[in-house]
Amino acid sequence: MMPQLVTVRVNRPARRPVRFWVPVLPVVLVLLPVLVLVVLAAIVACLVFRIRVMRALGAGWRVVSALPGARFDIEQGRSAVLVAIR
């Protein structure tokens, strides 16, 4: 299953936190031409380095499908960025 929504929250010192939601499907549709080029480049790289193309693409898909439920917390000093993938 592909991720559907990315939630980003930015905690700033002495200010209200900023939260926004990014739907994944419209972003993927907009970036589809770039995604096709990236996949083609990955296929060429697999052929150059003698890696099985279908296994590499399958591994990439497994990583993407494992993203829902992931949460990344990044803190620097008193500021923090929280990213949740649903």
Side-chain angles (χ1 to χ4, degrees):
M1 175 179 226
M2 190 171 116
Q4 300 296 317
L5 184 70
V6 175
T7 305
V8 179
R9 180 177 176 181
V10 180
N11 294 332
R12 303 172 296 173
R15 292 189 190 168
R16 291 181 52 180
V18 175
R19 178 180 286 175
F20 55 94
W21 298 267
V22 180
V24 174
L25 185 61
V27 172
V28 168
L29 290 176
V30 169
L31 296 177
L32 193 59
V34 175
L35 184 62
V36 169
L37 292 175
V38 168
V39 169
L40 290 174
I43 291 172
V44 170
C46 286
L47 294 174
V48 168
F49 292 106
R50 296 186 179 135
I51 298 172
R52 293 183 185 166
V53 175
M54 292 309 294
R55 288 188 81 171
L57 292 177
W61 179 251
R62 284 193 300 272
V63 168
V64 169
S65 63
L67 285 175
R71 181 181 166 115
F72 304 96
D73 300 332
I74 304 165
E75 295 183 28
Q76 176 65 38
R78 293 175 28 205
S79 298
V81 176
L82 312 168
V83 179
I85 301 173
R86 298 179 187 181

